[in-house]
Amino acid sequence: MAHQVRLTLDALQSLIDELQSREYIVIGPKIENRKVVYDEIAKIDDLPAGWSDEQEAATYRLHKTGSPALFDITHSMNAWIHHLYPSKATLLKASRENSGFTVERMKEAPPKYALFGIRPCDLEAMKKYDRILLKDTFHDEIYKNRREKTFIISANCTRPSGTCFCASMDSGPKATSGYDLALTEIIRDGDHYFIADIGSESAQELINKIPQAEASADDIAYANSLIEKAREQMGRTLNTGNLKEILYKNYENTHWDTVGDRCLTCGNCTLVCPTCFCTTIQDYTDLTGSNVERIRQWDSCYNNEFSYIHGGSVRTSSYARYRHWLMHKLATYHDQFDTSGCVGCGRCITWCPAAIDITEEASAIRQHSITV
Ligand code: SF4
Ligand code: SF4
């Protein structure tokens, strides 16, 4: 497949038009309430052209740049998971009848999404979801049905944010697989265009329908140089060498108390993380007592009830919950799924109200390691 074409801004609009004509709901980055969110877009003008973001621990700001760039912002606050693995889903409904009750298992007509401008780290997170919710022993029906219909247009990163560390996690800043199209935005010599890497037959078929030109060797080299520059400018780094073993051996390290004193157990870090997938299931009965809905909703390991087993919760303290979360991301996920539970997107650092930074905490455990 691997060939690359050059697309103008108008061609990008044609791409969106073509997707919409095929009944795709196009999801892309847009500004809403002074932040970038990932949601439905109708046209290229909905993208945050001329805006950039500043992200640091507990800090998020947008500012105008005066540049026409569409992708000067890094990732959005919410990832694609809101669309493929909704935060709330009705699984079944039951109603009382004269001599018994009926149960209706909910089956949705899955929406057909085109994920436009999804970042390489988020694409890597999707591969982890695929592994967990499609390929292991059980699959998730809602995720599977939506995922199968999804068309993916990734946007390679040419500017990382202050909390990004995808280069340390081998999950960016360039998309390497799993996309239909991967775009790199170029503005040079007064020209504004995109190099599109074609990753699937359906993308090739789509590209044939819109105006495009073969990318020159110079264009491809320039696009790659922008991505390499981004790799060198990561806001954070994480030393992953032997990290799993260090974390396991430091389960009782007193540093967990220090971070536990700061953690508010608000769960923000789990709600923004593109690799978190825990849910809980609850039954809601209406006031008549005749109808009930079984609803699955996202859960967080920071909730007290999350670890409730007979008689009480296993993790009652904030340090135990933070330790559980970080250990899952960087150690136990490896043993469960043979991959890291972190793609280095940095969202948990940006959106933590207590400015707790996973890279700092992992490095503090390494530094104060008691047994390794
Ligand atoms: S680490 Fe930060 S975001 Fe996560 S639960 Fe604690 S205070 Fe909230
Ligand atoms: S743990 Fe933090 S940096 Fe890693 S994938 Fe989740 S939100 Fe991103």
Side-chain angles (χ1 to χ4, degrees), residues 30-37 60 62 76-78 351:
K30 61 199 263 195
I31 294 179
E32 202 177 278
N33 297 328
R34 292 186 292 165
K35 63 186 181 307
V36 171
V37 296
Y60 183 90
L62 289 180
S76 51
M77 181 195 71
N78 60 332
W351 296 100

Side-chain angles (χ1 to χ4, degrees), residues 84-94 102-108 139-143 145-146 279-284 292-298:
L84 299 193
Y85 194 61
S87 57
K88 203 169 179 187
T90 303
L91 301 182
L92 61 81
K93 291 180 179 177
T102 56
V103 176
E104 180 191 4
R105 190 165 171 228
M106 306 311 288
K107 197 158 174 62
E108 69 168 5
H139 71 258
D140 182 82
E141 202 67 16
I142 296 173
Y143 180 74
N145 292 339
R146 292 185 179 208
T279 54
T280 185
I281 292 175
Q282 291 189 342
D283 290 343
Y284 294 90
V292 65
E293 287 192 14
R294 175 160 294 175
I295 292 178
R296 183 185 78 185
Q297 43 201 334
W298 289 0

Side-chain angles (χ1 to χ4, degrees), residues 165 269 273-275 325 329 341-348 358:
F165 57 102
C269 49
C273 180
T275 66
W325 176 79
K329 294 293 162 197
C342 175
V343 293
C345 71
R347 286 184 177 93
C348 56
I358 186 173

Side-chain angles (χ1 to χ4, degrees), residues 135-184:
K135 296 184 184 151
D136 275 350
T137 317
F138 302 102
H139 71 258
D140 182 82
E141 202 67 16
I142 296 173
Y143 180 74
K144 180 174 181 284
N145 292 339
R146 292 185 179 208
R147 176 74 175 90
E148 280 171 358
K149 287 177 171 277
T150 302
F151 190 87
I152 295 173
I153 303 164
S154 186
N156 290 321
C157 291
T158 54
R159 187 194 75 83
S161 85
T163 54
C164 289
F165 57 102
C166 62
S168 300
M169 308 311 290
D170 206 17
S171 56
K174 183 174 185 169
T176 52
S177 63
Y179 53 81
D180 293 292
L181 280 175
L183 304 174
T184 308

